[in-house]
Amino acid sequence: MHASPAPLLAELVLGRTPALKEPQLLDGVLHWLEQRPQEQGRTTLMARRPGAEPMELTPGPWNLRCRVHEYGGGACAIGRGPDGAPLAVFVHDGDRCLWRLDLDRPGAEPQRLTPCPAGGSFSGALGGGLIDPHRQRWIGVLEAGGHDTLVAVSLAGGEPEPLHRPQDFCGYPALSPDGSRLAWVEWQQPHMPWERSQLWLAAMDDQGQLQAPRPVAGSGSQAADSPADCSVFQPLWAGDDLVVANDRSGFWNLECWPGAARADGEGPPDWRALLPMAADFAMPQWVFGMTTNAWDGERLLAMACRNGRWQLGHLAPNSGGPWQPIEQPFCDLAGLTAEAGRIACVASNPEQPAGLLELELATGAWRHSPAAPCPLPAQAISRPEELWFAGHGGQPTQAWYYPPSGGGHPEAPLLVKGHSGPTGMARTGLSLGIQYWTSRGWGVVDVNYGGSTGFGRAYRERLNGQWGVVDVADCAAAAAALVERGLASAERIAIEGGSAGGFTALAALCFTDQFRAGASRYGVADLSALAVDTHRFEARYLDGLVGPWPAAAATYAARSPLQHADQIRCPVIFFQGLEDVVVPPEQTDRMAEALQRNGVAVEVHRFANEGHGFRNGATQVQVLEATEAFFRRHFQL
């Protein structure tokens, strides 16, 4: 006998809990962005002083959202304005313009900085910026006309002023404390920023113009021993020293250039390894505003990921170590910020949902403020168990297995999850979405298939030219390993995923016989259509994942689920936003129609006001409930 689970309601899982993003500390005040599914995904700016309750700074219609590279991020910068007064500069999605909010004036209304046509929107997309207090301006990225430009906007308002036009893409500007140097990241198609990118550095003259910009780290830089394929992440100033994560060693390790703020701009950079270890101190740069490292004025704080688990630590700059781990109970971390011995980040673990972690380095005291209380008692939570198995080509591959309520057994249904990206990772923080399934007697396996982040560059590169092969084989092998161990039923295995994970799910249904049902959320069905009809950021992404287009057209056809829909014989449910510009709705429609012609049971759910990734809480609840009902009906549970 197996204990009957107490089902977790979908409205407790999704639709209520806000997503916390991009914490920033200034003058002891913690600021962060809060995306609220119950308000159709609106994002607002929050603040909390020590010992006080959170305050909402942008209520009502304000919606802080950046659309640079479609995925955005970095919608708000916190810094100092005139006389050192704190202020925020943010992108409002209503008009795509930059707005300024004076934080020392309670109740102050935001003031628009960038003009736009009457009744219209700003031409282009702005975001990923910082505040330059020395020249009273915002510095960030303008994407317009199919190109990125580093621009400056006066805090008094005005048109964006071009500072630097890269060859293609740019982002992550970082200003030295004295305002004399600006560092940023560039990359060029067909490569993505986590494949090949460069760290650039330039001096600033008295007028704030960039002088002699040059690449100083990463692919094609002047740095010694930089291989052709390496990438950099999050330039950070530690006083006069420049710190960056560089994966030329095979892992995104931290490197420091002592005195970079005083460099003359001619000699080769003097990079020194800070923490050489088999761990990643970075993440793939899908969005702006991602931070895994921070400087508190005296020491460097860093988050390191080893085999899918994150750890927090610190060290003195240019010390060469040792890295000192910080005792705290969280293993899923993001968005690190630090100031004067105090740090904050978004943190969770298998028992506690995502929340703001604030920690005092001097005492080790910490507090964790979850975005919403956990609706489950501790004893009802299914905790992840590390699963290593032989994946594609027999290579060691990792996943997290969540046993169903009552424990795994040979009759238990199993849900295989393929994360998006495909460079994402299966994380260990409490996922109520996973608990929704385990509370209903399902086992869940969240697969870090080849291509995933958190295991070094070689693990990510397993997917080079092999998307739709390695990921599919790894997901099937994870399911087979659990069946072999007597933890799941071979006749009750479903697979689901969104975006790239949706492609993996559909391909797994086509090219393996491991699965008995599938769910695709805005998943890629036609690789060739994606190659010719997607947005600029990912326009050449498939060159590395599949092959150069159109030379490799035959490979695209061989891997596309749409071309092999006749090989799917099990039920499939689809979810698609009608405003999706990454995976256009037409792909989902064609895939569903092909299956219906073959007599396969199909459901399609379309959402008029959703894009790539569902932001509305009501949509999220509907997707979860419909998926579970669909699987339950076809598995006769």
Side-chain angles (χ1 to χ4, degrees), residues 20 53 72 106 121 162 168 186 192 219 225 245 279 297 312 325 348 384 401 403 476 497 507 562 578 606 610 618 621:
L20 308 180
E53 293 297 314
S121 297
D168 204 347
E186 294 191 13
M192 303 302 283
S219 300
D225 304 321
L312 184 62
S348 61
Y401 168 62
L562 184 62
L578 298 183
R606 302 175 180 88
E610 295 283 6
V621 168

Side-chain angles (χ1 to χ4, degrees), residues 98-345:
L98 280 182
W99 290 74
R100 163 181 167 169
L101 177 63
D102 293 317
L103 300 175
D104 63 341
R105 295 168 49 208
E109 285 294 317
Q111 304 297 312
R112 186 161 56 197
L113 296 182
T114 50
C116 64
S121 297
F122 180 80
S123 178
L126 290 160
L130 57 84
I131 294 172
D132 177 0
H134 307 279
R135 301 166 186 87
Q136 291 299 292
R137 59 184 184 170
W138 176 90
I139 297 174
V141 178
L142 167 64
E143 183 183 25
H147 209 283
D148 287 1
T149 305
L150 273 178
V151 299
V153 175
S154 169
L155 295 181
E159 296 282 354
E161 175 190 3
L163 295 178
H164 172 72
R165 185 175 172 87
Q167 179 181 334
D168 204 347
F169 293 91
C170 67
Y172 291 86
L175 185 66
S176 63
D178 63 2
S180 68
R181 300 289 189 278
L182 186 73
W184 66 93
V185 175
E186 294 191 13
W187 67 98
Q188 302 82 35
Q189 290 182 350
H191 302 291
M192 303 302 283
W194 51 87
E195 295 172 339
R196 286 190 188 182
S197 58
Q198 308 86 39
L199 177 65
W200 283 63
L201 181 67
M204 277 194 179
D205 63 19
D206 293 340
Q207 287 72 45
Q209 297 300 309
L210 300 183
Q211 302 298 309
R214 60 171 180 149
V216 294
S219 300
S221 72
Q222 299 175 359
D225 304 321
S226 285
D229 291 329
C230 67
S231 67
V232 294
F233 175 85
Q234 194 204 340
L236 173 72
W237 291 95
D240 287 343
D241 303 341
L242 183 57
V243 177
V244 75
N246 190 330
D247 71 349
R248 59 177 170 168
S249 70
F251 289 85
W252 269 311
N253 283 179
L254 294 179
E255 300 183 356
C256 178
W257 178 3
R262 301 185 301 275
D264 59 15
E266 296 181 0
D270 180 23
W271 289 107
R272 304 176 187 179
L274 281 180
L275 296 168
M277 63 175 74
D280 281 326
F281 290 81
M283 295 183 284
Q285 304 97 307
W286 281 96
V287 298
F288 293 152
M290 301 167 68
T291 57
T292 56
N293 310 294
W295 171 250
D296 78 339
E298 294 184 1
R299 61 185 70 79
L300 182 68
L301 288 305
M303 302 190 310
C305 187
R306 304 179 199 240
N307 290 333
R309 288 188 180 94
W310 288 90
Q311 187 178 29
L312 184 62
H314 66 88
L315 77 163
N318 197 28
S319 69
W323 190 50
Q324 302 175 36
I326 297 172
E327 290 298 323
Q328 48 81 33
F330 300 94
C331 56
D332 190 356
L333 308 169
L336 185 64
T337 183
E339 179 190 53
R342 182 180 174 214
I343 64 175
C345 63

Side-chain angles (χ1 to χ4, degrees), residues 6 43 72-73 153 208 216 288 309 379-380 425 437 459 508 532 560 585 606:
T43 300
V153 175
V216 294
F288 293 152
R309 288 188 180 94
Q379 64 272 20
M425 63 183 293
W437 292 95
Y459 199 100
V532 299
S560 292
R606 302 175 180 88

Side-chain angles (χ1 to χ4, degrees), residues 560-632:
S560 292
L562 184 62
Q563 309 301 322
H564 303 276
D566 60 334
Q567 295 178 221
I568 296 180
R569 295 301 178 190
C570 64
V572 187
I573 187 169
F574 296 89
F575 304 93
Q576 178 69 46
L578 298 183
E579 295 181 1
D580 195 335
V581 298
V582 179
V583 177
E586 183 257 354
Q587 283 205 31
T588 290
D589 292 341
R590 290 172 60 202
M591 186 71 194
E593 291 165 3
L595 294 178
Q596 288 169 335
R597 286 195 299 269
N598 292 334
V600 172
V602 171
E603 272 189 29
V604 182
H605 297 255
R606 302 175 180 88
F607 303 97
N609 297 313
E610 295 283 6
H612 195 71
F614 300 146
R615 301 169 70 89
N616 190 322
T619 301
Q620 296 169 5
V621 168
Q622 183 177 341
V623 168
L624 184 58
E625 290 182 333
T627 303
E628 190 272 338
F630 185 81
F631 289 164
R632 173 165 35 87

Side-chain angles (χ1 to χ4, degrees), residues 7 52 61 87 101 123 145 160 173 253 281 330 334 341 356 402 413 432 439 493 498 529:
L87 57 79
L101 177 63
S123 178
N253 283 179
F281 290 81
F330 300 94
L356 292 168
Y402 295 80
L432 293 179
S439 74
I493 303 176

